[in-house]
Amino acid sequence: MSDLIHKRYIVHPYKFNMWLAITSMVMAFAAFTSAYVVKKGDVNVWNTIQLPRIFITSTIVIVVSSVFMHLAYVSFKTNRISLYRGFIILTFICGASFLTLQIQGWSQLLASGVDLGSNVSNSFVYVITGAHFLHVVGGVVALFVFSIMAFTKYKISNNDVKPSKNSLVSVEIMMTYWHFVDILWVYLYFFLILNN
């Protein structure tokens, strides 16, 4: 009986590793935003940067992608593989769209004279949004792999097949990571607006 109780509360090692990674990423971005606030009070000349309106669109897109990711997980968990396929592909498309919109946003910043080296405030905006961009790239690559696996690994017969426990853990980890980069971007976006 005690063994059953013990096993019930053991965290899957992959989930544990993901939460460790998320904790380290939170600390890194907390350091970035703290340094931003400190440097802003230190520097004599601090440019006020008007973030491109396209960043509003990218914010909406990544929030919608998080909804699709959650629906993909629920579909997978309830063995509705055909629905899972659709939602995971929609998540991937939204993730790739977010990256495209971010690049367009940077292009608009450069066109308006906000380049990387002209002022420390400019550098912070590019470093913070660029670091997040790289984390989303990793997520989009993973979503691409999950999208391929949705059609190659999980076959549909007359009844949807039941995925293995390890497969469910993998999709749950993907969902956790994707929700994290979504929440992180929303935080960073409002941080940059409020602390400009």
Side-chain angles (χ1 to χ4, degrees):
M1 181 69 177
S2 61
D3 285 345
L4 287 174
I5 293 170
H6 181 66
K7 285 180 181 177
R8 185 177 171 189
Y9 291 100
I10 290 177
V11 178
H12 193 285
Y14 293 163
K15 289 183 184 178
F16 181 75
N17 289 340
M18 172 55 68
W19 283 109
L20 273 182
I22 286 174
T23 301
S24 66
M25 287 182 270
V26 166
M27 292 172 69
F29 281 96
F32 285 149
T33 52
S34 298
Y36 180 100
V37 172
V38 170
K39 201 69 179 172
K40 183 180 176 184
D42 246 0
V43 176
N44 293 328
V45 180
W46 186 268
N47 284 354
T48 300
I49 299 167
Q50 185 71 38
L51 293 178
R53 292 184 65 81
I54 201 166
F55 279 1
I56 297 171
T57 307
S58 68
T59 303
I60 293 167
V61 167
I62 202 167
V63 169
V64 169
S65 77
S66 210
V67 173
F68 285 143
M69 185 67 242
H70 183 75
L71 292 171
Y73 171 72
V74 171
S75 300
F76 193 83
K77 190 176 182 180
T78 53
N79 308 324
R80 292 176 293 179
I81 302 301
S82 53
L83 275 177
Y84 166 71
R85 288 175 173 177
F87 285 129
I88 202 74
I89 287 171
L90 285 171
T91 309
F92 167 74
I93 291 169
C94 285
S97 300
F98 173 83
L99 295 177
T100 304
L101 291 165
Q102 294 298 93
I103 291 169
Q104 290 174 4
W106 290 333
S107 297
Q108 289 177 18
L109 281 173
L110 287 170
S112 65
V114 181
D115 57 18
L116 187 59
S118 61
N119 188 279
V120 69
S121 58
N122 301 357
S123 301
F124 266 109
V125 168
Y126 283 107
V127 168
I128 289 171
T129 59
H132 179 265
F133 181 90
L134 292 175
H135 286 83
V136 176
V137 167
V140 168
V141 170
L143 284 169
F144 179 70
V145 172
F146 273 76
S147 297
I148 291 172
M149 286 172 58
F151 288 89
T152 57
K153 186 175 180 181
Y154 311 112
K155 304 295 182 186
I156 299 175
S157 57
N158 291 333
N159 297 314
D160 281 352
V161 293
K162 184 173 182 179
S164 68
K165 186 177 179 181
N166 283 339
S167 296
L168 183 60
V169 168
S170 296
V171 175
E172 186 178 346
I173 289 169
M174 181 71 247
M175 178 187 68
T176 302
Y177 182 80
W178 197 251
H179 286 339
F180 168 71
V181 293
D182 174 7
I183 292 165
L184 179 61
W185 172 253
V186 172
Y187 161 71
L188 293 174
Y189 177 69
F190 285 105
F191 171 84
L192 290 172
I193 287 176
L194 296 172
N195 291 280
N196 207 340

